[in-house]
Every structure is written in structure tokens, then in C-alpha cells.
Amino acid sequence: MTFRFLNVIVLVAAVALSACAGPGTNLPPLPETAPGPYRLAAEDQLRITVFEDNRLSGEVRVADSGAVAIPLLGPVQVGGLTVSEAEARIRREFQRRQLLQDPGVAVQVIAYRPIFVLGMVERGGQFPYQPGMTVLSAVALAGGFNYRAVQDRVSVTRVDTEGRSREFRADRASQLQPGDVVTVFERFF
């Protein structure tokens, strides 16, 4: 009888320990993102204003290649650049091609690339990114956690600077970046 009682205690302890581990605990923590200027990437929606000629101004989306199409210039590479670097590059292209002597160019992000929320939320899907967005605010956009959700940690899949997707463990207060995919885990018990 003592042996059977010991087996039950070991089984209960094993189940309790496996519940503590839970989904996502084996993932590396989401690295802190250093504050800095926003870098343009595919799917960002921009407003480009050329002050010398309104016909050259307009709204464009950054293509998968990282380029934007500008009248008279054609594709100009802006992926990976800050807004001020993109303004300077467009200005230089107008000057290099001798289309405008001293153009005034302004670039504004009017819509960031989206974030995605999947898993144990009420309405998963694609949502617009806003600067300062956290995991919790993204989950709120998706209707909140559903009754089966693990609420203290999630998976965040992010594309690194080399273009590889990497998966990390994040908590509710973790800062998101445009293009992140948040997956809310399902609890077992």
C-alpha cells in the first residue's frame, strides 16, 4: 500500500511540474528593442510630398522589394531606411537625374505594416500597428483572451535584420514591432 501511495505522489508531482512548464517556456525571451528611429519596410504606406511639383506627390506602399514608385523616378529603394534617410535619397535621385535642382521632399508614414494575432483570442487576424503597441494591447484588438488562453506568456515571431523569422517568448507588457506575429497559447488544464 505504501508503494502505491508513493506512485500516486510521484504522478501528481510530475503532472504539476509539466503544468508549470507549459507551452512556450522553452522559447528564448523576446529581446528588448533599443529605442531608435523607425525603419521603413514592405507594406508601410507612405505619403511623399515633393514641394516643387504637386504632380510628383502622392501616397505609395513600400513594395516587397523595399522600393517605392515615384513619378519620373520609377522605383526608389527605401526599405531599411529611416524617414529622413528616405527623404534624402529621393531628393538625391531628383538631383542626380537633373529633374529638379533643389527639391524639397517630405516623407510621412501614414500606415505601418500590420501585426497579426493568432491562437486563443476571440477574433484573431491582422491589425494595424501603432507605435508603443504591447502584447496586451494587440490581444485587446483581437477581442481579448478566450477562456482557454494562457494569459501570462505568448509567442512572438519576428523577422530579424537578416530576414529570418525567429520565435520568442514574451509577456503581456512586451513591446511589439510592425510585422510581428503574436500567438496566444492554449492552456492544458
Side-chain angles (χ1 to χ4, degrees):
M1 178 139 161
T2 306
F3 183 70
R4 183 176 169 105
F5 180 69
L6 187 58
N7 281 342
V8 169
I9 289 175
V10 169
L11 180 63
V12 168
V15 168
L17 285 176
S18 70
C20 290
T25 55
N26 61 332
L27 295 172
L30 184 67
E32 291 284 327
T33 54
Y38 180 74
R39 299 268 173 199
L40 300 172
E43 297 302 312
D44 284 334
Q45 181 82 20
L46 308 177
R47 178 176 295 122
I48 299 176
T49 306
V50 180
F51 296 106
E52 283 71 19
D53 191 339
N54 285 339
R55 296 174 298 176
L56 303 175
S57 301
E59 294 182 5
V60 295
R61 184 174 302 277
V62 179
D64 289 342
S65 65
V68 292
I70 299 174
L72 297 180
L73 291 181
V76 176
Q77 197 66 28
V78 297
L81 302 179
T82 65
V83 168
S84 59
E85 291 169 341
E87 290 170 345
R89 178 165 288 171
I90 294 166
R91 188 177 306 112
R92 278 193 311 270
E93 282 299 308
F94 276 119
Q95 290 171 330
R96 186 179 72 78
R97 296 183 190 184
Q98 299 178 351
L99 296 170
L100 297 172
Q101 262 187 336
D102 188 25
V105 176
V107 175
Q108 177 186 15
V109 179
I110 56 175
Y112 298 92
R113 55 195 180 276
I115 55 107
F116 303 86
V117 183
L118 310 171
M120 298 292 109
V121 292
E122 293 300 323
R123 294 179 312 276
Q126 174 180 316
F127 300 95
Y129 171 81
Q130 292 298 316
M133 182 176 268
T134 64
V135 166
L136 189 58
S137 59
V139 168
L141 287 174
F145 295 107
N146 74 16
Y147 72 98
R148 298 282 304 174
V150 172
Q151 296 187 21
D152 61 342
R153 67 185 170 281
V154 299
S155 159
V156 173
T157 304
R158 180 174 289 167
V159 176
D160 65 16
T161 55
E162 287 83 40
R164 296 180 312 228
S165 290
R166 298 198 49 217
E167 188 176 13
F168 301 98
R169 181 184 70 249
D171 62 26
R172 296 160 63 119
S174 296
Q175 295 284 317
L176 295 177
Q177 294 180 355
D180 282 352
V181 178
V182 177
T183 303
V184 178
F185 298 116
E186 180 178 8
R187 62 183 164 84
F188 297 122
F189 297 103

